[in-house]
Amino acid sequence: MKQIIQSYRTGEMELTEVPRPQVSPGMVLVETKASVVSAGTEKMLVSLAKMSLIGKARARPDLVRKTLAAARKEGIRSTLEKVRSRLESPVPLGYSCSGIVRELGEGVEGLTVGDRVACGGAGYANHAEFNVIPRNLCVPIPDSGTRESPMAFEEAAFSTIGAIALQGVRQARLTLGESVCVVGLGLLGQITVQLCKASGCRVLGADIDDGRISLAADFGAESAVRSESLSREAARFSGGVGMDAVIITAAASGSDLVALAGEISRLKGRVVVVGLVGLDIPRDVYYKKELEVRLSMSYGPGRYDVEYEERGHDYPLPYVRWTEQRNMSAFLGLCVQGRLDVRSLITHRYPFDQSLSAYRLITQGEEPSLGVVLEYDAGPQPRRIPVISKAGRKMEGPVGIGLIGAGNFANSVLLPKLSRMSQVRFRGVTTGRGMTAKAVAERFGFDYCAETATEIIDDDQIRAVFVVTRHDLHGPLVEKCLAAGKHVFVEKPLCIHASQLASIENILKDSASSSAHPVLMVGFNRRFSPMVRKIKDGLSRRASPLVGSYRVNAGLIPKDSWVQDPLQGGGRIIGEACHMVDTLRFLTGSSVKTVQAGCVRSGRTEDTDRDTVSITLTYADGSLGDILYYALGSPAVPKERLDVSADGSSWELNHFRELATYRGTRSERTKETQDKGHEEEVRAFLASVAGETPPPIPLMEIFETTRVSFAVHEALDTGRMIHMDEWSPEETSDMGDSNGETP
């Protein structure tokens, strides 16, 4: 399919062929028929992307602070690689469209294939021939008597912009006969004027463009003036009382419009901010008039709520009458009833093949524009798209690599490591979002990008598949790859359900007698760190059990993140603490005997208790391991510290940068650039794929670490010690109220 994407690094836009996005549970695949280019919002995004790196830093100081904090904690080299990856990631454009439902994800109700729908959401309702939209951001287009007319799609494509205007009007709490001023008469302002008029209010409009002022008058504004005349006209319009409400739909870098709104408001009036303006409120006028200032949450309640937008949990109508979805539907209803006219707002129409001309129109100001509509007519869709490397080179090694999933970890860690290995050939890549697959393929020199994981798995030229998706897909994809005889590198965890673990074990057991026994590798990279290997060497001749203490200052992850979702992330214990379990297993060289665990109980609804946990492990050789994994620490403290002692010797590893070794009264310190073992683990995997070495991690240890992470939840659920030789994860139906973290 074709999609408009923009490079955040250079600001350049292109209309390019990418794989179609994939439908997941709760999502809807929509063939786009029309989309609206929002001159204000999208012009701002395009301008930001075209800024220099210094300009971007000035515009987003919040991101600069996060980058500096990451550099202090993770190291400069690692942070720079992540920043470079972010800059190279493509940016989708668009957020308001309409089209036809072509496929429904699991659990979607209230829609059928073939329905005509209006769609919203930045990152979802893109300027693309196909989009995958969350159910709560889709609304059916009402039958207006012109069911097959392209105009119906044009009109419906304004639904998201209309919902933004409608939410602003709702925030103003207008009543019949009140006077309201709309400041800014662009696309959003013109719709707001009509909504205020439909609410039975007297409307005053203001702008700096004479054409828009005239249009507002046509749409029912009793008066519309240039902004510099607004104070005088507002006094006349309101009979000297002042405006009951002022709705700011303009965009401005300063706070002048907020000050102006205060000046023209009546005593105890309302000011609603919809547009992007400064919010330095002049205290004197707002205090003396006791004005009420309200911000409008974009499309309405539900916006920015992951539970609502991504997971489909609707708010009950009796308690939240107008959600963003219900606002979109109400807007369409007003259009059908003839109470709103958006067709007259359309100044330009472009076939999607000429969509870049639309952006030149709004960014360069070639001529006046307001509503710019893109029209679509999708042709046959290729499933596999050949790629020409932007790096100017191809990896031509003997081991064909397929990549499933290409998020930040794959882009900033795995692929840069793999690209330095001569035995690799980057063959095919697929992700949930086709534009990401295309960008990764071009950047690293893959032969093609594909629509589905099946195409990667079925490719005879791919010997090894790297699975770097969200955690819930790890187990099922590993099963499919192994069943197809592919070697598999899966980023941790191996899986998040006991049934998946059992299936993987059975597949490998059945293939054990085969001469082409596939290699299974899980990304437990810590055991490949040079400093951890040095500790292992020092323990090689120990005669007594060891004691190991692993402290992880993991940091907070928002409760609504996918990694905190038991169904997607599997939990921070399964999702990341498995690293620590594996590292201690590697150092002891002995199987885990018992598991005990405890976690904080804050009682606060905003906290997730199981991302602060203490785990105690005993081993068959008498060793003892303790993992203190917590989210409550200062970000200034290094993330990981490992202390190991045995036979009168001790080792202190501080965040993979510094290793202190103590033997009797002697000590030595080693400082190096942080190395968590990512490159060495990949080299070891490829050597095993080539038949040069055994699998880097014995299967029994991979399976044991996975079971132990499950057992930690069982210990937390029951409050008892788990004896691993007597317990099976199949005995429990779930892993508790778990939390997770990205790789």
Side-chain angles (χ1 to χ4, degrees):
M1 71 169 193
K2 292 178 181 177
Q3 179 173 359
I4 299 176
I5 60 174
Q6 182 178 37
S7 166
Y8 190 67
R9 181 175 62 84
T10 66
E12 293 182 2
M13 288 183 293
E14 63 176 325
L15 178 63
T16 186
E17 193 80 39
V18 301
R20 288 196 314 188
Q22 292 302 292
V23 180
S24 54
M27 308 292 275
V28 181
L29 178 67
V30 176
E31 179 187 346
T32 310
K33 289 299 182 181
S35 65
V36 177
V37 180
S38 173
T41 301
E42 296 191 55
K43 183 178 181 180
M44 177 187 67
L45 293 174
V46 170
S47 299
L48 175 62
K50 289 185 176 181
M51 290 180 182
S52 66
L53 195 57
I54 294 176
K56 290 183 176 75
R58 288 174 176 167
R60 295 297 306 272
D62 55 323
L63 296 182
V64 174
R65 289 192 293 271
K66 289 181 180 180
T67 300
L68 293 175
R72 286 192 295 268
K73 193 168 186 178
E74 299 292 338
I76 294 176
R77 187 171 66 179
S78 174
T79 302
L80 284 177
E81 193 61 58
K82 290 179 181 178
V83 170
R84 187 177 298 113
S85 173
R86 294 285 189 185
L87 290 173
E88 294 292 342
S89 299
V91 178
L93 295 173
Y95 64 90
S96 191
C97 70
S98 63
I100 301 172
V101 174
R102 294 305 185 197
E103 188 177 343
L104 300 174
E106 180 183 348
V108 172
E109 298 179 350
L111 291 174
T112 59
V113 173
D115 283 351
R116 300 180 309 130
V117 291
C119 312
Y124 294 115
N126 306 315
H127 298 310
E129 290 180 327
F130 289 86
N131 284 299
V132 168
I133 314 290
R135 175 62 184 92
N136 280 350
L137 292 177
C138 281
V139 295
I141 300 174
D143 186 2
S144 62
T146 55
R147 192 172 181 83
E148 301 302 323
S149 170
M151 287 297 291
F153 286 116
E154 280 188 346
E155 200 170 7
F158 283 84
S159 62
T160 309
I161 300 168
I164 296 172
L166 186 54
Q167 178 62 15
V169 172
R170 294 195 194 286
Q171 288 292 81
R173 295 183 287 110
L174 303 176
T175 59
L176 284 169
E178 284 193 309
S179 61
V180 56
C181 178
V182 180
V183 181
L185 299 174
L187 187 58
L188 194 59
Q190 298 291 347
I191 295 174
T192 301
V193 166
Q194 295 185 64
L195 289 170
C196 292
K197 185 68 176 178
S199 299
C201 295
R202 299 178 61 232
V203 185
L204 166 64
D207 200 279
I208 58 175
D209 183 280
D210 291 335
R212 294 180 177 183
I213 290 171
S214 176
L215 186 60
D218 293 341
F219 281 133
E222 289 187 33
S223 177
V225 298
R226 293 186 65 85
S227 299
E228 59 265 26
S229 304
L230 181 57
S231 294
R232 183 173 61 255
E233 178 61 16
R236 185 203 66 77
F237 190 86
S238 64
V241 174
M243 305 301 294
D244 293 300
V246 180
I247 303 176
I248 302 174
T249 55
S253 56
S255 301
D256 292 348
L257 294 181
V258 173
L260 178 60
E263 291 175 11
I264 66 175
S265 293
R266 67 165 169 83
L267 185 68
K268 295 183 181 294
R270 288 100 63 194
V271 176
V272 178
V273 180
V274 180
L276 182 61
V277 296
L279 288 175
D280 292 329
I281 298 174
R283 185 182 188 279
D284 192 53
V285 65
Y286 275 73
Y287 172 76
K288 289 180 178 179
K289 290 186 177 181
E290 202 174 26
L291 298 178
E292 180 180 355
V293 181
R294 309 194 77 180
L295 301 183
S296 181
M297 187 187 286
S298 193
Y299 326 152
R303 190 72 181 111
Y304 311 116
D305 182 351
V306 173
E307 290 295 328
Y308 178 91
E309 290 193 333
E310 295 185 13
R311 296 172 188 154
H313 297 152
D314 199 1
Y315 302 150
L317 185 145
Y319 299 96
V320 185
R321 178 62 183 91
W322 295 109
T323 62
E324 55 185 324
Q325 185 187 52
R326 293 195 269 271
N327 273 339
M328 292 168 67
S329 183
F331 172 80
L332 292 178
L334 290 170
C335 291
V336 167
Q337 296 162 20
R339 302 180 70 183
L340 286 178
D341 177 11
V342 295
R343 296 176 183 175
S344 297
L345 296 174
I346 300 174
T347 57
H348 296 79
R349 296 177 178 84
Y350 290 89
F352 190 50
D353 285 344
Q354 300 175 24
S355 53
L356 295 184
S357 298
Y359 277 92
R360 284 193 293 272
L361 173 75
I362 66 171
T363 58
Q364 299 176 14
E366 296 175 346
E367 58 183 84
S369 64
L370 196 60
V372 180
V373 173
L374 304 180
E375 301 171 327
Y376 297 73
D377 185 15
Q381 301 298 308
R383 298 181 66 85
R384 178 184 294 185
I385 299 172
V387 172
I388 298 175
S389 172
K390 287 186 175 180
R393 61 183 176 84
K394 285 280 189 180
M395 307 291 291
E396 298 293 351
V399 180
I401 295 293
L403 181 69
I404 303 177
N408 189 50
F409 179 75
N411 274 280
S412 63
V413 179
L414 277 184
L415 289 173
K417 308 294 186 193
L418 281 166
S419 65
R420 293 195 287 266
M421 300 179 186
S422 60
Q423 65 268 50
V424 165
R425 175 188 176 187
F426 286 147
R427 176 66 178 153
V429 57
T430 184
T431 69
R433 304 174 72 184
M435 69 169 193
T436 302
K438 178 71 172 293
V440 169
E442 289 179 337
R443 180 184 174 193
F444 290 99
F446 281 83
D447 292 340
Y448 66 87
C449 52
E451 185 176 315
T452 67
T454 300
E455 296 169 68
I456 301 295
I457 296 171
D458 290 345
D459 187 340
D460 292 337
Q461 296 185 49
I462 290 177
R463 293 178 60 190
V465 178
F466 282 71
V467 177
V468 201
T469 62
R470 290 189 174 186
H471 300 169
D472 58 319
L473 298 177
H474 286 191
L477 286 171
V478 168
E479 291 181 46
K480 292 178 181 178
C481 291
L482 292 175
K486 304 292 186 183
H487 305 291
V488 185
F489 180 108
V490 57
E491 183 47 36
K492 55 80 193 163
L494 171 62
C495 57
I496 63 175
H497 297 297
S499 59
Q500 296 169 352
L501 177 59
S503 295
I504 292 169
E505 289 182 295
N506 288 333
I507 291 171
L508 289 171
K509 188 183 300 180
D510 292 341
S511 65
S513 59
S514 170
S515 58
H517 185 58
V519 176
L520 172 62
M521 172 75 166
V522 178
F524 295 140
N525 54 281
R526 269 73 165 174
R527 65 161 61 204
F528 295 93
S529 166
M531 289 186 171
V532 171
R533 290 291 172 116
K534 190 171 183 179
I535 298 174
K536 177 72 171 179
D537 291 342
L539 293 166
S540 62
R541 292 179 296 278
R542 68 182 173 92
S544 66
L546 67 78
V547 58
S549 177
Y550 208 139
R551 190 268 297 150
V552 187
N553 180 29
L556 290 169
I557 292 181
K559 191 173 183 178
D560 61 0
S561 168
W562 72 268
V563 296
Q564 299 282 31
D565 181 356
L567 298 179
Q568 283 193 320
R572 297 187 83 172
I573 295 167
I574 295 173
E576 187 182 36
C578 59
H579 270 312
M580 293 76 231
V581 173
D582 176 75
T583 303
L584 291 176
R585 175 64 174 84
F586 171 67
L587 292 173
T588 62
S590 180
S591 60
V592 175
K593 185 177 180 180
T594 65
V595 178
Q596 289 178 281
C599 65
V600 301
R601 303 289 183 187
S602 72
R604 301 196 313 167
T605 56
E606 63 268 29
D607 288 344
T608 49
D609 293 344
R610 292 197 180 185
D611 55 7
T612 296
V613 60
S614 175
I615 304 167
T616 300
L617 307 174
T618 64
Y619 296 84
D621 70 346
S623 294
L624 176 67
D626 175 72
I627 301 170
L628 182 60
Y629 184 99
Y630 59 92
L632 306 177
S634 165
V637 175
K639 181 179 178 182
E640 298 180 38
R641 179 185 173 95
L642 173 63
D643 295 325
V644 180
S645 295
D647 290 346
S649 298
S650 297
W651 294 263
E652 295 176 355
L653 175 59
N654 190 18
H655 207 34
F656 302 92
R657 293 177 183 163
E658 181 178 2
L659 177 63
T661 303
Y662 303 88
R663 298 185 186 278
T665 60
R666 302 190 312 276
S667 66
E668 64 175 276
R669 290 183 179 273
T670 303
K671 290 186 178 181
E672 297 178 1
T673 302
Q674 186 185 65
D675 186 346
K676 291 186 178 182
H678 289 110
E679 184 163 341
E680 184 54 38
E681 73 170 344
V682 172
R683 289 191 184 279
F685 171 68
L686 293 175
S688 182
V689 168
E692 299 168 2
T693 61
I697 305 177
L699 283 176
M700 61 171 289
E701 295 184 24
I702 291 175
F703 297 150
E704 180 185 322
T705 293
T706 306
R707 286 195 186 90
V708 169
S709 65
F710 293 167
V712 172
H713 282 288
E714 176 74 359
L716 291 171
D717 290 338
T718 63
R720 65 183 177 88
M721 177 186 289
I722 307 299
H723 294 266
M724 294 303 296
D725 58 351
E726 301 172 359
W727 178 81
S728 170
E730 288 82 357
E731 297 173 2
T732 58
S733 59
D734 58 61
M735 298 299 125
D737 59 340
S738 53
N739 313 292
E741 189 183 51
T742 50

